[in-house]
Amino acid sequence: MLQEFPPAANDASDWNGYRELLGETLCQVGQSKDGLALLDLALAAAEQNGDHPNAPWLARLRAVKGLCTAAAGDRATALRNAAQARAAFTAQPGVSPYYKAPLFKLERALGLRLPAV
């Protein structure tokens, strides 16, 4: 259903949010290849926009990508994504649990035992 209703406007931020949501959704239903392609586009756009590396939404996006890469069997990339997300949350420990949830799930999936951030 989500694929049938892309953003109507040609607004970059609408499209980036759409790519994030659709990419995450595709990953959750086992379509890792398509999901990762969209997540990579969303990450590239955030980095190109100059979003701060510790931005909570960017850290969450990296953790979501890590979950998808882990599910696709790419442990090395998943570990890299987890480390990047954790670094952002360590720098900003007061961030809402909403943003941190994918990181905790990723770290459990990777068998990592790290203190809460």
Side-chain angles (χ1 to χ4, degrees):
M1 186 168 130
L2 187 58
Q3 290 171 311
E4 295 175 23
F5 298 100
N10 197 16
D11 182 85
S13 110
D14 287 349
W15 275 98
N16 201 40
Y18 175 76
R19 287 182 190 111
E20 287 179 34
L21 181 58
L22 182 56
E24 182 174 358
T25 303
L26 289 172
C27 288
Q28 290 175 350
V29 297
Q31 296 181 28
S32 299
K33 182 180 177 185
D34 294 333
L36 283 170
L38 290 168
L39 294 174
D40 284 338
L41 286 172
L43 272 169
E47 291 167 354
Q48 185 179 22
N49 288 340
D51 288 0
H52 193 281
N54 292 339
W57 56 89
L58 189 53
R60 182 186 185 284
L61 181 56
R62 286 189 173 117
V64 166
K65 181 183 174 192
L67 283 166
C68 195
T69 57
D74 185 353
R75 182 175 171 82
T77 300
L79 285 167
R80 226 176 3 264
N81 291 134
Q84 290 173 321
R86 178 160 276 279
F89 293 135
T90 299
Q92 298 184 86
V95 170
S96 167
Y98 165 80
Y99 294 104
K100 295 178 182 180
L103 173 63
F104 299 148
K105 186 175 179 181
L106 173 58
E107 289 175 338
R108 281 191 306 275
L110 295 171
L112 303 175
R113 304 275 188 253
L114 299 168
V117 285

